[in-house]
Amino acid sequence: MPMSPAEIQQLRDLMEYEAARTAPPEGFPALPDIPAGRYVDPRYYQLELDHVWRKSWLLAGHIDEIPEPGCFRLWENAGQPVVLVHAEGGAINAFYNTCSHRGAPVVTEESGKKKRLTCQYHGWSYSHEGELMAIRDPEDFRDLDFSCRGLKEVRCERFGNLIFVNFDEEAPTLLDWLGPIAAEWEEFQFDKCRLAARHVWDLDCNWKIAMEANTEVYHVRSIHPKTVSPILDDRRNVNTLYLNGHGRMVAPVPAGDRGNLDAVGVPDDVVQIDTVGEIARTCTQSYGLFPNLVAPLSAAAIPPILFWPNGIDKCRMETWTMAPDWGDGVAPDLWTDNNGESLCQVLLEDTQFGEKIQKSMESYGFKGVPLSYQEVRIYHWNQAADQCIGIENVPEELRVQQVIGDEWIYPNDPRLAFVSAEVPARQASPERP
Ligand code: FES
Ligand SMILES: [Fe+2]
């Protein structure tokens, strides 16, 4: 369900409001500095591992990577050994890749297809549902209960063709976690998008430093003068904050109503998602899904970028391109040159300062980060991170103050008092994704 005309008008009005304002909106709080320790202090890094990475829904894979029953794929981006399995009945399951006998991996290849997952250490074998099916020399075990020696499951849910996992048995469902974003994403048909490209890049900085370059448009005129700036009117950018730390930016192309596909030179004959509405066709729109997914969306491609910690001062950036079926044509790859040989110019620009910023954060001289209203999504993320960790668990000197109140969280938005009449919040339709 694309945005209604009233919603579109409201968003357009908000863009004009942003362009015209001469200060942050009335009532918007001053944002206290983000303590530099959150990027360099091992205590905060450990809290992130124990809470943020453990309790959040994380994008782990795409159905195209395990398209048929029996297909499996290893996934260790969040530090835990996980295997994703396409089961006989069509379900996608996730398990710790850990044999219930003595912990050897039940899968050693990156990916493949198997009838059973058989541990190579002593031969225990498991079904695609994780049940222990057979062991060698069962007569030598006394009272081994097969029913409680299966593979340990990891929560796994799909949003269309995307496969998400969560290590927390108590976590809300993926749809609850996404909240209103699930309805907003319906027009992109995630159940039809194919995976065209997925690449990994190792960067020498804390993962949040890398991600934050993709969580604000304040930097656009400085580091993207020739690439992004001509196609993104940053003064008309509208940020929206959602529950659970998610956020969205929408900014028109500077010339007004020219489609963003024209602006970035996407050829006319490229396959487009026919249900995508006006905003995604005429604006740059990107979502931040807590904790680590930046998801630009357009009518021609869905190219999310993900950030994973790889130690406190190193991270792994993944670039994906998803698109409607491109038939026999060349699979599109928005973020790299020569099929993953190097990052594209825009991402080279975005990642250029990471290592140096990390050094600054580690220096005696750097104490904290002052953020502007334009960078509000970064602050919102940090508030959500502390909430996820448990505010009292965060050492006081590493905390962010919870200054952005619920009145700024969708569907609340004090800016609406300055623009057109109220528009009802969208509901997810039950049949999608
Ligand atoms: S560790 Fe897997 S069968 Fe022994
Ligand atoms: Fe950028």
Side-chain angles (χ1 to χ4, degrees):
M1 180 178 49
M3 281 187 202
S4 69
E7 282 175 287
I8 292 170
Q9 191 53 50
Q10 187 178 70
L11 205 41
R12 298 265 184 221
D13 291 347
L14 279 170
M15 290 173 188
E16 293 314 310
Y17 165 76
E18 294 289 358
R21 65 179 173 74
T22 53
E26 207 181 305
F28 185 79
L31 302 176
D33 286 13
I34 306 276
R38 292 167 77 92
Y39 303 83
V40 298
D41 191 315
R43 291 174 300 169
Y44 197 77
Y45 182 71
Q46 190 60 44
L47 287 169
E48 286 180 349
L49 294 180
D50 293 344
H51 298 274
V52 172
W53 296 105
R54 190 160 184 179
K55 298 178 190 166
S56 303
W57 283 101
L58 306 170
L59 179 57
H62 188 286
I63 192 77
D64 285 1
E65 296 172 308
I66 43 172
E68 292 163 15
C71 290
F72 66 87
R73 188 179 159 92
L74 278 182
W75 182 77
E76 302 194 340
N77 283 344
Q80 298 285 310
V82 173
V83 57
L84 305 171
V85 184
H86 192 145
E88 292 305 334
I92 303 298
N93 297 323
F95 304 105
Y96 291 93
N97 184 26
T98 306
C99 179
S100 302
H101 178 220
R102 278 169 53 200
V106 290
V107 157
T108 49
E109 310 92 318
E110 271 298 297
S111 62
K113 191 172 175 184
K114 289 186 171 172
K115 276 206 154 42
R116 289 254 188 281
L117 307 179
T118 302
C119 178
Q120 290 171 31
Y121 200 178
H122 314 92
W124 287 25
S125 72
Y126 303 86
S127 74
H128 299 152
E129 303 295 350
E131 306 139 309
L132 178 60
M133 304 303 285
I135 68 171
R136 180 174 303 143
D137 304 335
E139 65 278 10
D140 286 341
F141 286 88
R142 225 189 265 285
D143 302 330
L144 184 78
D145 181 356
F146 273 40
S147 72
C148 61
R149 300 290 176 177
L151 295 176
K152 176 92 173 89
E153 213 166 331
V154 179
R155 294 269 306 273
C156 180
E157 292 185 24
R158 282 171 61 182
F159 185 82
N161 289 339
L162 303 187
I163 302 164
F164 285 81
V165 299
N166 193 316
F167 297 105
D168 180 9
E169 285 162 20
E170 308 291 311
T173 65
L174 176 60
L175 280 184
D176 282 347
W177 172 258
L178 292 172
I181 293 172
E184 294 179 13
W185 281 7
E186 284 179 10
E187 65 183 270
F188 297 97
Q189 301 191 46
F190 277 83
D191 51 343
K192 297 216 173 70
C193 67
R194 289 182 59 195
L195 180 65
R198 181 175 180 178
H199 303 285
V200 172
W201 310 88
D202 287 326
L203 304 176
D204 289 319
C205 62
N206 182 273
W207 71 279
K208 299 191 296 296
I209 292 173
M211 182 172 71
E212 285 165 3
N214 292 278
T215 317
E216 44 88 1
V217 296
Y218 188 37
H219 68 273
V220 165
R221 275 176 280 164
S222 298
I223 68 170
H224 303 303
K226 296 212 172 81
T227 51
V228 180
S229 195
I231 56 167
L232 190 156
D233 182 353
D234 58 283
R235 292 306 307 181
R236 284 181 166 73
N237 179 53
V238 176
N239 287 317
T240 302
L241 310 178
Y242 300 91
L243 264 181
N244 297 329
H246 311 316
R248 182 189 68 183
M249 57 84 40
V250 183
V253 295
D257 233 12
R258 257 181 346 128
N260 63 341
L261 297 177
D262 285 352
V264 293
V266 174
D268 286 345
D269 58 355
V270 78
V271 185
Q272 295 198 20
I273 306 164
D274 53 8
T275 44
V276 167
E278 177 190 324
I279 289 296
R281 286 177 195 277
T282 59
C283 301
T284 296
Q285 175 172 228
S286 178
Y287 283 80
L289 218 59
F290 187 90
N292 69 330
L293 174 62
V294 173
L297 299 165
S298 77
I302 302 167
I305 316 176
L306 294 102
F307 301 87
W308 305 98
N310 194 11
I312 192 167
D313 57 356
K314 303 220 175 327
C315 69
R316 190 152 270 203
M317 179 171 82
E318 270 191 84
T319 56
W320 292 32
T321 302
M322 295 183 284
D325 197 344
W326 53 89
D328 296 330
V330 180
D333 183 358
L334 251 66
W335 294 127
T336 82
D337 291 334
N338 294 330
N339 191 26
E341 200 175 290
S342 62
L343 280 170
C344 69
Q345 181 61 26
V346 171
L347 288 186
L348 285 175
E349 290 167 358
D350 277 325
T351 53
Q352 65 185 307
F353 294 129
E355 191 179 344
K356 296 280 197 292
I357 293 173
Q358 181 69 30
K359 285 271 168 293
S360 295
M361 297 273 188
E362 290 168 1
S363 77
Y364 305 136
F366 200 92
K367 298 291 180 233
V369 180
L371 293 173
S372 72
Y373 166 67
Q374 288 192 49
E375 297 160 293
V376 64
R377 287 184 296 142
I378 296 176
Y379 200 94
H380 175 54
W381 185 98
N382 278 277
Q383 283 195 187
D386 281 7
Q387 288 167 22
C388 177
I389 291 166
I391 293 168
E392 65 293 344
N393 293 329
V394 183
E396 217 172 318
E397 65 277 20
L398 296 177
R399 274 181 214 165
V400 293
Q401 293 176 43
Q402 303 280 321
V403 297
I404 302 173
D406 290 346
E407 69 276 19
W408 292 95
I409 308 298
Y410 180 92
N412 300 328
D413 188 340
R415 294 171 301 184
L416 296 178
F418 307 113
V419 300
S420 55
E422 252 176 54
V423 176
R426 261 188 290 178
Q427 303 296 321
S429 55
E431 69 273 18
R432 260 186 199 283

